[in-house]
Amino acid sequence: MIKKIIIAITLCLPLMAFAQNDWEVPTAAQDSKANRQTAKAKKDYPYTKYLGPVVPEVNGEVVFEKTFTNNKSAEENYNLMLNFLTGMTKEEGQLDKSKISLVNKKDHAIICHFEEWMVFKSTILTLDRTRFIYTLVAESSDNKVKVKIFRISYWYNELQDGGEHFEAEEWITDKWALNKKKTRLAKISGKFRRLTVDRVEIIFDNIQTILNT
């Protein structure tokens, strides 16, 4: 009888120990749950694409650069880029100041100044847009074209007391256009970051098409 009582007490000891301590989910399970929640949050957020390193900085300046390759000569690439960029200055949405600023036929280089409308929202009652200003440089060589977009700025709400002027370095970079946790775009500057990234992608995609034609 005494032996049975001792065995029963022994079996209860683990349960008594559990009762004296707080229960916890295993760390691996906690991490897995946190990862699932983070993944879900990213999936539900429509602008995840713009949270990563999509606005490059070179020596503190916002600079988008891309090198395109093909099988054409430097002169052929120069002529293709000159025709493309000339046409780009006349596209819908471009302003009067958009132009080919300088060319160097010997070095096959082109410098352009662009000012165009960047439209955030356009309805019958609302027109939310900014003047998007940037410099584009194209340097052509045999089998290669290097394109750089920089000196980016914005004139916003120009009809309201002259509007506001923003430099890209203090407006669309991670520091200014993302929240502290870098999980969301900022309410105002975030839309500038989003459309700037989209516009640069469109320009680069068009150049890729032209150079491979």
Side-chain angles (χ1 to χ4, degrees), residues 92-105:
E92 183 178 356
Q94 295 292 334
L95 301 172
D96 292 341
K97 291 184 179 180
S98 293
K99 63 180 180 179
I100 306 295
S101 302
L102 294 168
V103 297
N104 186 321
K105 295 181 180 180

Side-chain angles (χ1 to χ4, degrees), residues 131-161:
R131 185 188 295 253
F132 178 41
I133 306 165
Y134 58 95
T135 296
L136 187 154
V137 174
E139 298 174 297
S140 299
S141 56
D142 290 339
N143 308 319
K144 185 169 63 177
V145 175
K146 182 179 179 181
V147 178
K148 180 167 72 171
I149 295 174
F150 63 120
R151 295 177 184 169
I152 299 170
S153 63
Y154 313 86
W155 273 108
Y156 188 47
N157 287 332
E158 291 185 70
L159 298 180
Q160 299 180 12
D161 300 324

Side-chain angles (χ1 to χ4, degrees), residues 19-210:
Q20 293 172 358
N21 295 285
D22 294 331
W23 288 70
E24 293 185 5
V25 177
T27 302
Q30 288 179 332
D31 292 343
S32 178
K33 182 179 180 182
N35 290 337
R36 288 198 303 271
Q37 290 175 338
T38 300
K40 185 178 185 302
K42 288 183 177 180
K43 182 179 179 181
D44 293 342
Y45 187 61
Y47 303 130
T48 303
K49 166 186 174 180
Y50 308 97
L51 302 179
V54 296
V55 179
E57 294 183 68
V58 179
N59 298 322
E61 182 179 12
V62 173
V63 180
F64 294 91
E65 293 180 282
K66 187 168 184 178
T67 299
F68 304 85
T69 58
N70 60 13
N71 59 357
K72 294 179 173 60
S73 68
E75 186 174 357
E76 286 176 312
N77 282 329
Y78 170 79
N79 289 330
L80 285 170
M81 288 304 300
L82 184 59
N83 289 335
F84 168 74
L85 293 170
T86 299
M88 189 171 152
T89 64
K90 301 173 183 178
E91 290 177 348
E92 183 178 356
Q94 295 292 334
L95 301 172
D96 292 341
K97 291 184 179 180
S98 293
K99 63 180 180 179
I100 306 295
S101 302
L102 294 168
V103 297
N104 186 321
K105 295 181 180 180
K106 179 181 178 181
D107 293 336
H108 305 105
I110 306 168
I111 300 176
C112 310
H113 175 83
F114 285 101
E115 295 193 22
E116 60 189 55
W117 289 122
M118 177 179 284
V119 180
F120 305 116
K121 185 178 181 180
S122 179
T123 66
I124 296 176
L125 301 176
T126 304
L127 178 58
D128 184 18
R129 67 182 183 181
T130 187
R131 185 188 295 253
F132 178 41
I133 306 165
Y134 58 95
T135 296
L136 187 154
V137 174
E139 298 174 297
S140 299
S141 56
D142 290 339
N143 308 319
K144 185 169 63 177
V145 175
K146 182 179 179 181
V147 178
K148 180 167 72 171
I149 295 174
F150 63 120
R151 295 177 184 169
I152 299 170
S153 63
Y154 313 86
W155 273 108
Y156 188 47
N157 287 332
E158 291 185 70
L159 298 180
Q160 299 180 12
D161 300 324
E164 301 172 275
H165 183 249
F166 303 112
E167 301 286 346
E169 291 71 26
E170 296 183 351
W171 197 238
I172 66 168
T173 55
D174 292 1
K175 179 180 178 181
W176 299 95
L178 301 180
N179 62 7
K180 290 183 179 180
K181 294 182 179 180
K182 293 181 171 54
T183 57
R184 291 287 190 275
L185 291 175
K187 185 176 181 180
I188 303 299
S189 57
K191 64 184 181 182
F192 286 77
R193 177 185 175 102
R194 187 162 48 84
L195 266 68
T196 299
V197 170
D198 287 347
R199 177 56 175 154
V200 171
E201 284 186 354
I202 289 172
I203 293 172
F204 284 168
D205 286 347
N206 289 341
I207 290 173
Q208 182 75 71
T209 300
I210 290 298

